[in-house]
Amino acid sequence: MKQFVVIGLGRFGGSIAKTLSELGHEVMAIDQDEQKVQDFLPIVTQTIQADATDEKLLLDLGVRNVDNAIVSIGDDIQASILATLILKDIGVPHVTVKAISELHQKVLEKIGADKVIHPERDMGIRVAHHLISKNILDHIEISSKYSIVEVVATEKVFGKSLAALDVRAKYHCNVIAIRSKDNKMNITPAADEKIQPGDVFIVIGRNEDIHAFEKKIGE
């Protein structure tokens, strides 16, 4: 069991706090909004109505002892940056921060944030990929050039083996798993694995290579 502090209980921070708690971890949730703090009182380990840019308060709460801090302050960039700076300065080992712009991200990285995420941007990318292809179920961006994508197997490949498809040689990407229609996950499937109706490829590689593979099996 790990200890987390979540600062900011909006939709993103609240979802993280709830999920971490459901997974059995200790979660301290901090927000300035009294109603949000009350709403999460029965959900997480501890809730505090407070200003997370108050260094003395964070020290008094023992925040320096948590394993991971998540800063999910809404549109107040100054508060987000200051809270991140304080958390790193008091010794929190890993700080994850929600950014609302590229400039915000650059500042956060410069002051020591361990991981910066863009939930709205990332969701926009995933939705866009889903909209342009009926075969793409999900899209996770690893970097600007590489992704992990769920691609629905089409009738064109049913009954064929991975060896016959030769995805790595032909498309320069890798099928790292296959999920069957009953949601069973086959990690590192064998070369002679036959593709069945309802199968979903989990593919990793360069974006253009994955797109070429998805386009080819969809033709």
Side-chain angles (χ1 to χ4, degrees):
M1 179 175 64
K2 291 186 177 181
Q3 294 179 313
F4 295 85
V5 60
V6 177
I7 297 172
L9 291 172
R11 283 180 296 176
F12 180 68
S15 177
I16 289 178
K18 183 174 183 292
T19 303
L20 288 171
S21 184
E22 289 173 346
L23 291 172
H25 298 289
E26 290 187 7
V27 180
M28 177 192 298
I30 300 174
D31 199 290
Q32 293 194 79
D33 188 311
E34 182 181 0
Q35 186 58 55
K36 289 179 181 177
V37 169
Q38 289 299 318
D39 289 344
F40 276 84
L41 193 60
I43 297 173
V44 299
T45 311
Q46 182 182 10
T47 59
I48 297 101
Q49 181 186 1
D51 178 1
T53 63
D54 184 336
E55 182 175 355
K56 183 179 183 302
L57 173 70
L58 294 182
L59 285 170
D60 289 344
L61 291 171
V63 169
R64 71 193 313 167
N65 299 316
V66 302
D67 300 293
N68 197 320
I70 298 92
V71 180
S72 180
I73 297 174
D75 294 330
D76 191 340
I77 293 178
Q78 181 175 328
S80 168
I81 292 170
L82 186 54
T84 303
L85 190 61
I86 292 170
L87 290 166
K88 292 307 299 181
D89 192 50
I90 66 176
V92 175
H94 197 281
V95 179
T96 301
V97 192
K98 170 188 171 182
I100 61 174
S101 69
E102 297 298 328
L103 180 58
H104 187 194
Q105 176 176 353
K106 288 180 181 178
V107 174
L108 292 169
E109 289 173 341
K110 284 185 180 297
I111 63 173
D114 299 284
K115 184 175 179 60
V116 180
I117 50 181
H118 293 260
E120 289 86 0
R121 182 201 67 182
D122 294 345
M123 181 54 71
I125 291 172
R126 294 167 78 171
V127 171
H129 278 275
H130 180 69
L131 289 172
I132 63 175
S133 174
K134 63 182 180 181
N135 297 326
I136 292 181
L137 294 181
D138 203 356
H139 177 281
I140 301 172
E141 188 180 60
I142 300 174
S143 70
S144 60
K145 294 183 178 180
Y146 292 86
S147 300
I148 298 175
V149 178
E150 291 187 347
V151 182
V152 178
T154 62
E155 188 175 352
K156 187 174 181 179
V157 298
F158 293 165
K160 293 185 177 180
S161 67
L162 287 177
L165 293 176
D166 205 8
V167 179
R168 181 181 296 180
K170 291 180 179 177
Y171 306 102
H172 313 293
C173 48
N174 292 290
V175 176
I176 58 175
I178 295 176
R179 190 176 70 241
S180 63
K181 64 180 178 181
D182 58 358
N183 280 327
K184 290 183 179 178
M185 190 70 76
N186 182 357
I187 306 296
T188 60
D192 60 354
E193 186 80 27
K194 296 287 178 53
I195 308 305
Q196 305 296 326
D199 281 353
V200 175
F201 298 106
I202 307 343
V203 186
I204 186 170
R206 290 171 62 92
N207 296 329
E208 57 264 38
D209 295 329
I210 295 175
H211 178 66
F213 168 65
E214 182 273 326
K215 185 177 179 182
K216 187 65 178 178
I217 69 170
E219 289 178 350

